[in-house]
Amino acid sequence: MNPNKQQLKEQSLLYLLSQNNFIVPEIQREYVWGLNYMVISRFIDSLAEKIVTVCDQCGNPLRSTKINIGFLYTYKPSYVTYSHERFLDENLIDGQQRFTTLVLLLFYSALKENRISDFREAIRFDGESEMAFDYKVRSLTHDFLIQLFRRVTNLVTLNSIFEENSTWFLSDYKKDRTVSAIIQALMIINEKFLSKKERFYDYILNNIKFYHFRTEATNQGEELYITMNARGEALSKNEENKAALMFDDSSMYAFGRKWEDWQDFFWKHRNKRNPKSNADTGFNEFLRWIQIIEMTLADTGIDTDEDEKISEESITNEIITLIQGESVILQKQYFSIHKIEQYIEAVRYLFTDYLTDEGYKEHYHQELDRSILQRKYLHPDKKFIEQGESFELLPAILYVARLKQAQQSIDNQKIYRLLRYLSNLRKDITVRKTINKQVINAIKLVDILVSTDDDIAAISRLQSGKVSRTLLTPEEQFKFRIYLNSPRREELENKFWAMEDNNILNGKIAPLLQYSYSPTRERKNFDFQKSFEHFSPSGFDYLAFDLLTTNFLKLTSQDEKRISNNIWASMLLTPYYEVKPYDQTHQVVVCRNADDFHLIRNALFLNKLDEIDHFPSAVEYFQHIFNGFLSGYASLEALGQETDYTKQLYAYYNALVNQSGWDYWKGKNFGVYLMPGSYRSFFDNNVRYQHYKQKWVGAEYNYFDDNKSMIKKFYQQSWFSGHGK
């Protein structure tokens, strides 16, 4: 027989108190349930609901069925010997919060039912200093309990404590956290049962059961004690979660053993650099992940596209609240031993087997995996991972869990493809602004995917309406269709992913994709389309796309986060900018759109990818543009006679950009002041310019430093060096 099963016994409160002296060790956590109204209320209400009905006349429960509230772990101190002790001292390792609450509930029932003498006998209270449940190593808490059980004999004297009218109540008691929690717990119990007729004393004593796990070997017990307390924290939710998720009697033993194994996984993956790190945060977060996934799968009516209005009473709103990390209350209907085991195996796989697999590193960027599957998610510092991180992680957990459940082989390359897809979508502004809804949509997407295929590209074959249009954008769908139609899929994926990682493109490669389809002779008239309906996946030209990406990186540089000033300045010489009237004394020079991404979708920008192909670098390309600009003027005086505002601005830019006299952060559009009074500019028409972003208002602080002598000196040197020839 398994020795552990011999030590595991289902025992009532009466039996436990009659056989043992339960001691809360000094370094054990404080009793805190009384300080958390939601926790203790749920525990008490759950017991009352399970008792079901009581006699209308006497108030006693009509049924004597047992209620098992989980595990009680104890070990005997080294000084205890069976041959000399009638009542064995047992140190509580785990279960203190439930056990203490149950004793307080029994005490209150005794007061209400006028059975205080029975209560004292049950806890073997000698009236002075000994009893079967004690905080004896904490003198202040111990002394309070002795005074409480000696002096409080009915609800009137109990109420005097609540009102702080008891003469025996020391001011030091208020400083003790456990004492405060005990008083608050009694107040909550009184609030719930004072007006009720139920008589629960006998039922609590005889019919509420624990599985008592007594570790007989002292060294094993102390080791388990230290480990379990190291894994816990001051306000641990693990006891609460165990109680909330208790399963039927047939699975209780397996549940308890597996719970420790599950918790041990998060203990091993705690933040070892932080001496205060423990298993609780990661484990509790893992349980939240399960409930988010299971709640989403359970409700088939969810529709959370960005324009969908969600009722505050709907289950969707409950899920969103859970995703946001607010009011996390585990609900038993979403859990079972099998489900928890299924999900923890998926988590184990993703954070161990998958991240350490050497077989595909040569083909795929392992750095991305580490950025998505960061091990800190198993011990989040803020208790909850961010919503965007949930968007990437939770669908991947479900994906692996479902494949394992179906006993299908797991292809790490396909996991990577799913992670890439989710990571790239997370950059999308629509996904970001509705991220909590999109976590739900992504879970639903994976649920649909694994029921038909295990390749994320297969979602492009699904009927319209099955996948959120926010998640299956025209660009993503088209890329998937290219993959599925190409014998060079891995090569294509690596190229696409590398460009998605570009800081300027930021996940959107549609402009380059569509431009690659345009014949060279037609590219000046290129018109970007939101839809890909006129593009055929089978007609994709990899070589054309590869050349464009090479030239794009040459023009913009791989590490840049935005379109350079040189590019924006060169656009001044194109129809991307135009001059418009404003009022009698002002005009404006405006671009079609000041956003970088709108610029790179425009043919005037994309044409530059063809032009730069003839130059070894962007430096030479922009120098060529500048030389061409100066070649249009015979002399410095001729340049000064230029009246085109866009050309004047380009001239100013080149002279001032390296002199800290130009600031595109103030805006890529310009106000033109036509009557500057005594002001004399470099150009003969003497206009002055100001940067602006949204709407020009003539704010003087936006003037750039168009110092005439500086401009003149720069162009004298330019002509002298032969740039204008």
Side-chain angles (χ1 to χ4, degrees):
M1 182 179 292
N2 187 329
N4 288 330
K5 285 195 174 182
Q6 287 181 310
Q7 296 163 359
L8 189 65
K9 300 177 180 179
E10 191 177 47
Q11 297 170 346
S12 67
L13 192 59
L14 175 62
Y15 182 87
L16 290 167
L17 293 170
S18 68
Q19 300 294 315
N20 310 276
N21 293 321
F22 289 102
I23 300 168
V24 179
E26 185 174 12
I27 62 172
Q28 175 63 284
R29 64 190 63 150
E30 301 277 0
Y31 174 66
V32 293
W33 270 21
L35 301 176
N36 191 318
Y37 185 88
M38 183 178 296
V39 171
I40 193 170
S41 292
R42 186 166 65 164
F43 179 73
I44 295 170
D45 292 343
S46 176
L47 291 179
E49 289 172 6
K50 290 177 180 178
I51 293 173
V52 187
T53 57
V54 297
C55 175
D56 291 336
Q57 283 72 40
C58 66
N60 289 316
L62 294 174
R63 293 174 17 171
S64 58
T65 53
K66 68 182 179 183
I67 299 174
N68 191 299
I69 61 171
F71 288 82
L72 192 69
Y73 289 87
T74 67
Y75 78 93
K76 64 183 180 68
S78 57
Y79 58 78
V80 172
T81 59
Y82 287 107
S83 56
H84 295 91
E85 301 291 341
R86 179 182 176 187
F87 302 110
L88 299 177
D89 283 1
E90 290 283 340
N91 283 337
L92 274 169
I93 300 175
D94 196 35
Q96 172 208 354
Q97 305 293 326
R98 282 171 286 134
F99 196 84
T100 302
T101 302
L102 207 58
V103 170
L104 295 177
L105 190 57
L106 185 70
F107 172 60
Y108 179 84
S109 299
L111 296 178
K112 186 180 177 185
E113 298 170 31
N114 195 27
R115 299 184 62 176
I116 192 63
S117 59
D118 292 339
F119 171 78
R120 289 169 177 167
E121 182 179 351
I123 66 169
R124 292 183 282 106
F125 180 52
D126 68 357
E128 294 296 331
S129 61
E130 297 293 333
M131 52 187 171
F133 172 68
D134 201 357
Y135 287 75
K136 62 169 59 179
V137 292
R138 301 180 187 179
S139 58
L140 196 62
T141 308
H142 164 77
D143 183 65
F144 169 75
L145 285 176
I146 294 295
Q147 296 299 326
L148 179 70
F149 296 153
R150 176 197 297 165
R151 296 178 181 274
V152 176
T153 57
N154 52 50
L155 294 181
V156 174
T157 50
L158 177 65
N159 195 59
S160 66
I161 300 177
F162 300 159
E163 296 177 354
E164 300 184 0
N165 292 327
S166 297
T167 56
W168 59 269
F169 190 90
L170 303 177
S171 59
D172 284 346
Y173 290 155
K174 297 179 181 179
K175 303 175 184 178
D176 188 294
R177 193 173 185 216
T178 296
V179 171
S180 298
I182 288 172
I183 293 173
Q184 288 296 319
L186 288 169
M187 292 176 70
I188 294 169
I189 293 169
N190 182 62
E191 172 192 317
K192 288 181 173 294
F193 292 108
L194 179 62
S195 61
K196 295 183 180 296
K197 62 185 176 183
E198 288 87 348
R199 300 171 67 86
F200 287 154
Y201 181 86
D202 285 327
Y203 192 97
I204 294 169
L205 194 62
N206 295 287
N207 294 83
I208 296 180
K209 308 287 182 97
F210 284 94
Y211 279 121
H212 183 198
F213 191 94
R214 177 187 286 161
T215 306
E216 301 296 356
T218 302
N219 58 348
Q220 181 185 354
E222 290 176 345
E223 181 180 348
L224 180 62
Y225 171 78
I226 292 169
T227 300
M228 292 186 73
N229 276 276
R231 293 188 313 198
E233 57 184 10
L235 184 54
S236 171
K237 281 183 171 289
N238 277 325
E239 284 184 325
E240 175 194 346
N241 288 337
K242 281 188 202 176
L245 302 181
M246 282 299 161
F247 304 120
D248 57 80
D249 292 342
S250 63
S251 62
M252 190 67 71
Y253 179 76
F255 174 76
R257 300 299 296 170
K258 286 183 179 294
W259 185 278
E260 293 307 315
D261 177 61
W262 302 332
Q263 193 175 8
D264 192 56
F265 171 78
F266 290 96
W267 166 247
K268 291 176 181 176
H269 288 84
R270 71 194 186 282
N271 182 5
K272 296 181 177 64
R273 292 174 295 179
N274 180 1
K276 296 182 179 180
S277 182
N278 54 66
D280 284 1
T281 302
F283 192 18
N284 293 328
E285 173 68 338
F286 165 69
L287 294 175
R288 184 177 74 99
W289 298 343
I290 294 177
Q291 183 156 317
I292 291 171
I293 295 171
E294 287 296 312
M295 287 181 76
T296 299
L297 298 178
D299 188 53
T300 58
I302 299 176
D303 181 6
T304 55
D305 273 321
E306 67 275 11
D307 57 350
E308 177 75 10
K309 302 299 182 182
I310 299 176
S311 165
E312 293 185 3
E313 293 78 24
S314 70
I315 187 173
T316 306
N317 196 63
E318 288 185 45
I319 301 171
I320 288 175
T321 299
L322 195 61
I323 291 168
Q324 293 169 333
E326 302 171 11
S327 185
V328 179
I329 300 176
L330 299 183
Q331 300 176 43
K332 185 176 178 179
Q333 68 265 35
Y334 298 112
F335 294 86
S336 68
I337 292 178
H338 173 71
K339 281 182 181 177
I340 299 175
E341 191 76 53
Q342 173 185 332
Y343 285 115
I344 204 160
E345 286 304 311
V347 170
R348 284 185 204 270
Y349 186 89
L350 285 170
F351 286 92
T352 55
D353 301 351
Y354 171 68
L355 281 185
T356 57
D357 179 21
E358 299 289 338
Y360 72 106
K361 285 185 180 179
E362 295 181 3
H363 301 289
Y364 294 95
H365 306 285
Q366 191 72 359
E367 294 75 14
L368 177 78
D369 292 350
R370 297 192 185 282
S371 70
I372 297 176
L373 299 178
Q374 297 181 65
R375 296 190 187 278
K376 70 176 184 179
Y377 296 165
L378 302 178
H379 52 82
D381 293 334
K382 297 180 180 179
K383 296 191 177 182
F384 306 111
I385 63 174
E386 295 178 2
Q387 295 176 67
E389 294 164 345
S390 293
F391 175 78
E392 296 173 340
L393 177 60
L394 270 55
I397 292 174
L398 176 61
Y399 178 80
V400 175
R402 280 293 175 80
L403 293 179
K404 279 183 166 288
Q405 183 183 26
Q407 297 183 333
Q408 296 182 29
S409 61
I410 299 176
D411 186 337
N412 286 346
Q413 183 173 321
K414 291 180 178 178
I415 293 177
Y416 185 81
R417 286 167 173 164
L418 173 64
L419 292 174
R420 278 285 340 186
Y421 164 72
L422 295 169
S423 175
N424 196 52
L425 268 183
R426 186 182 169 189
K427 303 171 187 175
D428 185 89
I429 187 170
T430 302
V431 171
R432 292 203 311 270
K433 73 181 182 182
T434 59
I435 190 65
N436 42 41
K437 298 179 184 179
Q438 303 315 325
V439 173
I440 296 172
N441 282 333
I443 292 170
K444 290 171 58 185
L445 180 149
V446 167
D447 185 42
I448 295 171
L449 174 66
V450 294
S451 66
T452 57
D453 204 326
D454 60 351
D455 184 348
I456 184 61
I459 66 172
S460 62
R461 295 171 173 162
L462 297 177
Q463 293 179 357
S464 177
K466 282 196 171 184
V467 179
S468 165
R469 59 181 177 272
T470 304
L471 300 188
L472 191 56
T473 63
E475 177 181 334
E476 294 297 335
Q477 186 171 20
F478 189 70
K479 286 186 293 188
F480 287 150
R481 291 170 62 198
I482 290 178
Y483 294 156
L484 295 174
N485 279 276
S486 174
R488 305 168 64 183
R489 177 170 178 177
E490 289 189 18
E491 185 178 5
L492 281 174
E493 286 175 327
N494 281 319
K495 174 61 69 174
F496 285 6
W497 292 339
M499 295 311 296
E500 287 170 357
D501 289 340
N502 180 270
N503 289 321
I504 293 173
L505 293 171
N506 196 32
K508 306 283 191 180
I509 66 172
L512 298 182
L513 277 175
Q514 292 188 10
Y515 195 66
S516 70
Y517 276 83
S518 297
T520 304
R521 62 183 180 277
E522 299 176 8
R523 285 183 171 178
K524 291 195 178 296
N525 298 318
F526 171 79
D527 185 22
F528 178 78
Q529 306 292 317
K530 291 183 178 180
S531 167
F532 278 80
E533 60 183 337
H534 300 302
F535 298 89
S536 169
S538 60
F540 176 70
D541 186 340
Y542 177 81
L543 294 178
F545 181 79
D546 185 52
L547 178 61
L548 286 177
T549 59
T550 299
N551 290 340
F552 180 88
L553 296 178
K554 186 195 297 186
L555 181 67
T556 63
S557 299
Q558 174 70 47
D559 58 349
E560 289 294 329
K561 293 185 177 180
R562 60 187 65 87
I563 293 294
S564 69
N565 287 345
N566 282 335
I567 294 174
W568 273 104
S570 70
M571 299 310 297
L572 284 164
L573 302 180
T574 73
Y576 196 74
Y577 273 90
E578 60 179 319
V579 180
K580 292 184 176 182
Y582 186 80
D583 60 24
Q584 290 184 346
T585 57
H586 298 86
Q587 292 185 1
V588 289
V589 178
V590 294
C591 61
R592 297 183 184 181
N593 194 302
D595 180 74
D596 280 356
F597 188 67
H598 282 83
L599 174 63
I600 62 179
R601 295 189 302 186
N602 189 276
L604 294 168
F605 168 84
L606 291 168
N607 292 164
K608 292 183 177 296
L609 303 185
D610 299 318
E611 296 168 4
I612 200 173
D613 189 47
H614 306 291
F615 297 90
S617 71
V619 173
E620 284 83 359
Y621 173 63
F622 290 120
Q623 185 64 57
H624 170 75
I625 293 175
F626 181 63
N627 290 344
F629 170 74
L630 284 187
S631 67
Y633 305 95
S635 64
L636 183 62
E637 290 72 20
L639 176 63
Q641 294 169 4
E642 175 63 66
T643 58
D644 187 307
Y645 297 151
T646 57
K647 291 181 178 180
Q648 286 188 5
L649 285 166
Y650 180 76
Y652 276 139
Y653 166 80
N654 283 280
L656 299 173
V657 67
N658 295 319
Q659 308 294 328
S660 300
W662 188 277
D663 189 358
Y664 263 132
W665 280 104
K666 291 181 179 178
K668 298 183 179 74
N669 295 306
F670 306 89
V672 185
Y673 189 21
L674 304 179
M675 299 177 64
S678 60
Y679 174 76
R680 301 286 296 175
S681 77
F682 171 78
F683 292 98
D684 293 349
N685 58 3
N686 290 326
V687 300
R688 200 171 192 194
Y689 298 97
Q690 298 176 21
H691 292 278
Y692 76 93
K693 292 183 179 180
Q694 301 300 327
K695 183 178 180 180
W696 184 71
V697 291
E700 189 166 343
Y701 62 81
N702 276 345
Y703 281 129
F704 57 77
D705 183 13
D706 48 353
N707 183 280
K708 181 177 180 179
S709 60
M710 184 186 300
I711 308 295
K712 187 173 183 179
K713 182 178 181 181
F714 172 81
Y715 281 103
Q716 284 174 336
Q717 293 174 342
S718 296
W719 251 274
F720 179 77
S721 62
H723 291 314
K725 301 298 183 183

